Amino acid sequence: MASKESEAVKQHWAAAKVSTVQDDPERANHRWAELTAEPPDVDYLSVPGRQALWIVPHNATEDRVLLCFHGGGYISGSRYSHRKLFAHLARAVGARALVFDYPLAPDYLHPVQLDDAVDTYRWLLDQGIAPGHIIFTGDSAGGGMAITTQLRARSVGLPLPAGAMPFSPWVDFEATGASYDVNRDRDAFFYRDLVRGLAWTFLGPDGSPHDPFVNPLYGDLTGLGPIYIQVGGDEVLLDDAQMLANGAEKAGIDVRLDVFPEMQHTFQMAAGRAPEADDAIQRMGRWARPVLGL
């Protein structure tokens, strides 16, 4: 049975369904931030010249980094809405994290977001961080970006990171999964038409949901590092996570998929409050440390 603390995530999505994040993205950002408890012993440092924050847990190793892609359906979310979430994760790993803002739809359409992400990754490499000391991580749209940014980076000749930790990843922009039907009455916010609407807001009239830099299942995943995926059992995007895991396994990638029963989309946002979220964060920390050589 889901904890009462995790019910706050369900209530968050139910409230968003009434007001819609499209109507008020700033309010949505504020609600996201309220879900997460402030983690102790973490410093936040702005990055001169970039729309980004360094998240620095006390006693964290300096040369290992989580590159963090925030969610929000490509229309909302920011380094501020997600800083506490990624700070909990950085503490669990014992490494620094970098969370950045990318341009949002509908003002900016694909592939602007992905190109900005690749530029941020290139900048991180230019700071002297070895690619094998970097893990990509993100929620929802950011979870998809944790994979598609690797494909885009490889296409321009950049080395791949050590691995990726997408949670509640959004990869199927056609919303074909059976979980849209199975979990229709369990998911507090998402449904097929909403997700397809977000997809076309991001893609624009000239975009394609078959673009491998949009849906990585249409791309070549061969050669990517290990992937750890988390997803809530009650979300309609459950099949997105399962399809990504299956596609990665077929490509010969070491994949782990954890499904958390009765949990909503991005339930990890309740880190520091809900036991299920804290368990998920600790699992990611334990998985990431050996991947980073810690």
Side-chain angles (χ1 to χ4, degrees):
M1 185 179 219
S3 69
K4 63 180 182 179
E5 294 84 2
S6 282
E7 283 298 307
V9 179
K10 189 171 185 178
Q11 293 165 7
H12 159 84
W13 287 120
K17 194 169 188 175
V18 173
S19 62
T20 77
V21 294
Q22 293 98 323
D23 291 341
D24 194 350
E26 289 303 320
R27 183 181 177 192
N29 287 346
H30 181 68
R31 286 200 305 262
W32 260 327
E34 285 185 334
L35 284 172
T36 318
E38 190 72 63
D41 303 322
V42 177
D43 296 323
Y44 302 95
L45 307 175
S46 58
V47 181
R50 304 195 75 85
Q51 301 296 309
L53 284 176
W54 276 116
I55 298 169
V56 186
H58 296 183
N59 301 318
T61 183
E62 288 285 316
D63 64 347
R64 267 71 166 181
V65 175
L66 305 178
L67 182 57
C68 304
F69 304 81
H70 72 76
Y74 292 106
I75 65 169
S76 64
S78 72
R79 62 193 187 274
Y80 299 115
S81 63
H82 283 62
R83 67 169 180 85
K84 291 185 288 184
L85 167 65
F86 291 127
H88 280 281
L89 182 53
R91 289 184 76 246
V93 176
R96 294 188 298 162
L98 182 72
V99 57
F100 66 100
D101 290 353
Y102 49 83
L104 298 175
D107 294 332
Y108 299 91
L109 303 179
H110 172 76
V112 172
Q113 294 82 0
L114 210 55
D115 289 341
D116 189 79
V118 170
D119 179 70
T120 301
Y121 178 47
R122 182 185 288 108
W123 177 87
L124 187 56
L125 295 173
D126 289 344
Q127 306 312 299
I129 306 298
H133 289 173
I134 299 170
I135 284 178
F136 288 3
T137 187
D139 66 296
S140 194
M145 289 180 74
I147 307 302
T148 55
T149 300
Q150 295 189 64
L151 302 183
R152 189 77 162 184
R154 184 174 62 187
S155 75
V156 298
L158 293 178
L160 292 172
M165 295 189 295
F167 45 106
S168 293
W170 179 27
V171 295
D172 176 16
F173 280 59
E174 298 169 283
T176 62
S179 54
Y180 278 95
D181 300 310
V182 174
N183 284 340
R184 180 180 55 194
D185 297 327
R186 298 188 184 100
D187 193 304
F189 180 75
F190 292 95
Y191 53 94
R192 184 173 273 117
D193 286 347
L194 172 64
V195 172
R196 287 175 175 169
L198 289 172
W200 287 113
T201 299
F202 167 65
L203 292 172
D206 299 322
S208 169
H210 298 163
D211 184 339
F213 298 136
V214 172
N215 182 345
L217 300 182
Y218 289 103
D220 180 11
L221 302 180
T222 305
L224 271 61
I227 300 174
Y228 176 30
I229 306 167
Q230 293 184 350
V231 67
D234 280 1
E235 56 177 299
V236 297
L237 271 73
L238 174 59
D239 278 2
D240 283 54
Q242 293 174 331
M243 286 188 288
L244 177 59
N246 292 338
E249 286 178 353
K250 289 178 181 177
I253 297 170
D254 181 12
V255 183
R256 172 178 169 181
L257 170 64
D258 282 355
V259 179
F260 290 75
E262 300 183 46
M263 291 296 102
Q264 293 286 316
H265 187 68
T266 63
F267 68 92
Q268 296 88 347
M269 290 295 290
R273 293 197 170 100
E276 298 92 341
D278 290 340
D279 175 40
I281 294 292
Q282 290 304 314
R283 292 192 202 186
M284 283 193 273
R286 290 192 295 270
W287 181 90
R289 289 181 64 80
V291 172
L292 291 172
L294 293 174

